[in-house]
Amino acid sequence: MNTEPATDLHRLSFVMDLTLRQMDSKGTEELFYDVARGDLRFDPACPLCQARDSAVLTDVQLSGLNFFETSVCHRCLHVWRSISPGREWFQARWKQIASPGLGVFNPELEKARLARYHIYYALIRRYVASGRLLDIGAAYGTGVDFFRHRGFDVEALEVEDDRARYINERLGIVAHHSAVEDFKPSGPGFDVILFAHCLEHLDDPRLALSHVAQCLEPKRGLLYLEVPLPWALNDWGDALYMAHKHNFMEVGLDRLIRECGLTIVEKFAIPEPGMEADHLGMLLTRGDAYPTRPTRDNWLGGEPSLARITELYHLNMPHRARLAAGPIHYHVPYINNFFYIVRLRQGAFHAMAQANHFEFRRDAS
Ligand SMILES: [Zn+2]
């Protein structure tokens, strides 16, 4: 086995590069985060189908503690973090980085966000053009403000302290500071709920989606759900991407939607600038007020297989070692970005003597 580290790393990983660029543009400071066994969630059963027949794809260890493990379900091919810091750990980290002022708004990121809400509005207004709207994971409220200006009666749900305060205080929009699963809506169900790029971040997608479904107006309420599909976005770097708890396969997500009492009205391929593949967008309802447009299985993602999924976790790896079958183990010296574990630099990636073990060294700089 050749353990020579690669020296010509133009990029480490597609998703990792994207995160590092975002950190740079936000001016995110480097902080170091502790993790202990008591912070961890252990989810050995598949969160989608409850099967216990699964395989570990990757794990990440800090001082011998396996704190981040990714598994694939042999029955339904769902990919999830079978070991990961739980929600409380992430909430404590958000508190840690919350700024006392409200000036963390990044105009460039918000511009990109606004472009997505233009798309959502065009899709939704063909069915519902006014009413009560809830934006889940509203960030700095750019999207929910956009819908307010188009005649919707809007509210936001945001789990991060400083963002919820920003929406309340700067925009004057009701922002509930709560996790999705704990949210207690007042009044009748919402006519529209936006739930884009959230489900993949949550510990228990079944609990979250069924709860969100119950917040919808039962007959004509529309839920807009959007998730990334792993096929063109993910590579080996997903093993270190703590922000995502799940990588959904389209067929598994369809089944979860049905089991949460929802019907798919329509599916959409939602483009993301700079990305080769589209995200999966869907309009969902609890009632039967809308005609549905059926699509074939795996309309956007293609047929998933164990081999295809395993291949993703080997893709673009910056090393020249030949890997054995079985889990890939990463050893990290610290967590200094709680979305991406390590802020990697060139030369930080080394193969260890044993097969399938890789070590990230502490940066000199
Ligand atoms: Zn499963």
Side-chain angles (χ1 to χ4, degrees), residues 7-230:
T7 50
D8 53 348
L9 305 184
H10 292 298
R11 65 178 212 177
L12 289 159
S13 148
F14 182 82
V15 269
M16 200 174 283
D17 284 358
L18 206 70
T19 306
L20 293 179
R21 272 203 305 277
Q22 281 190 6
M23 283 177 71
D24 282 342
S25 93
K26 287 165 95 170
T28 307
E29 276 183 56
E30 290 198 47
L31 294 168
F32 294 86
Y33 305 104
D34 283 334
V35 66
R37 197 180 157 82
D39 297 320
L40 303 180
R41 262 183 81 98
F42 295 85
D43 292 296
C46 171
L48 287 203
C49 78
Q50 279 75 50
R52 283 183 174 266
D53 179 16
S54 61
V56 173
L57 294 165
T58 61
D59 61 48
V60 187
Q61 297 171 34
L62 175 63
S63 308
L65 177 69
N66 174 7
F67 69 96
F68 197 62
E69 182 185 85
T70 303
S71 292
V72 56
C73 175
H74 280 164
R75 195 205 280 169
C76 78
L77 298 177
H78 183 59
V79 175
W80 82 103
R81 312 304 184 185
S82 39
I83 301 176
S84 166
R87 180 147 61 92
E88 294 75 14
W89 187 87
F90 281 91
Q91 282 170 341
R93 302 290 79 76
W94 280 318
K95 272 215 168 61
Q96 200 176 341
I97 63 165
S99 45
L102 293 175
V104 282
F105 178 93
N106 181 318
E108 284 309 305
L109 292 179
E110 294 304 305
K111 214 186 286 172
R113 172 173 281 268
L114 186 58
R116 288 188 11 224
Y117 280 78
H118 274 276
I119 298 175
Y120 303 163
Y121 179 67
L123 301 176
I124 289 164
R125 65 168 296 187
R126 296 177 303 141
Y127 298 96
V128 179
S130 65
R132 292 186 73 213
L133 177 143
L134 177 72
D135 188 15
I136 301 177
Y140 292 100
T142 306
V144 77
D145 194 37
F146 173 82
F147 271 87
R148 173 169 68 170
H149 282 108
R150 271 144 195 84
F152 283 87
D153 178 12
V154 302
E155 291 175 36
L157 181 61
E158 177 50 56
V159 73
E160 293 194 36
D161 289 347
D162 53 345
R163 294 176 173 195
R165 269 194 311 128
Y166 187 96
I167 298 171
N168 272 313
E169 294 174 21
R170 288 282 171 89
L171 302 180
I173 290 172
V174 174
H176 307 277
H177 176 219
S178 160
V180 178
E181 304 88 334
D182 303 331
F183 175 58
K184 304 233 171 18
S186 57
F190 288 95
D191 300 297
V192 175
I193 298 179
L194 304 176
F195 195 29
H197 295 271
C198 284
L199 197 63
E200 67 276 14
H201 297 263
L202 303 175
D203 287 337
D204 186 342
R206 178 180 296 276
L207 181 73
L209 188 60
S210 50
H211 183 65
V212 170
Q214 292 307 309
C215 299
L216 265 186
E217 192 282 318
K219 290 201 171 64
R220 302 190 61 85
L222 274 182
L223 171 60
Y224 179 74
L225 176 69
E226 187 177 313
V227 297
L229 293 176

Side-chain angles (χ1 to χ4, degrees), residues 261-272:
L262 292 159
T263 306
I264 300 169
V265 177
E266 228 181 319
K267 283 188 183 180
F268 311 96
I270 307 295
E272 169 92 30

